[in-house]
Amino acid sequence: APSGRSRVLWDCRHRPEGAHGVGDLMLKDTGEDRQGDSVAITTALDRLTANHARPLCFGGDHSVTFPIIRALAPKYPGLHILHFDAHPDMYDKLLGNELSHASPFARILEMGMVERLVQVGIRTMNGHQKKQNE
């Protein structure tokens, strides 16, 4: 069954012409296979964008951000991100996990995947995260 978010988005009467729902991507989401979930997200978006689709991605914690951008950045050079959050998600790793919910923008920036990242609403950025951002 589709998530509540999917039902609201795709049951609306005024869907843009040409828009199609592709359903929810089912992930293990156990915390034990973040690498597998990350690859699954990138692979699904690679398939969609190979057919010139423009995906609109919803849901998940912040660990889904990196695999989404990993799929889209090669297809959209000069990509800009506008990120609304209270936290910058710039840790090198959290509990040894480089793909954690606290690290997506560290990976995105160090791999040069985007031309610009603008973060709005940040209320806490520690010294480590500031250094990651430089």
Side-chain angles (χ1 to χ4, degrees), residues 16-83:
E17 185 176 330
H20 302 282
V22 295
D24 295 337
L25 180 60
M26 302 313 288
L27 303 173
K28 292 180 183 171
D29 199 23
T30 62
E32 297 170 12
D33 191 21
R34 288 284 185 194
Q35 186 67 31
D37 285 350
S38 181
V39 170
I41 293 166
T42 300
T43 301
L45 285 166
D46 281 341
R47 274 191 243 120
L48 281 173
T49 56
N51 295 316
H52 306 289
R54 293 183 184 163
L56 183 59
C57 306
F58 289 99
D61 69 15
H62 297 207
S63 63
V64 304
T65 306
F66 171 71
I68 290 170
I69 298 302
R70 179 174 55 196
L72 298 181
K75 293 159 185 81
Y76 300 100
L79 189 64
H80 291 219
I81 296 175
L82 178 58
H83 174 223

Side-chain angles (χ1 to χ4, degrees), residues 85-105:
D85 200 339
H87 308 102
D89 301 332
M90 297 280 268
Y91 280 102
D92 180 44
K93 37 183 118 154
L94 182 66
L95 303 173
N97 183 357
E98 292 181 339
L99 298 176
S100 92
H101 68 281
S103 305
F105 293 108

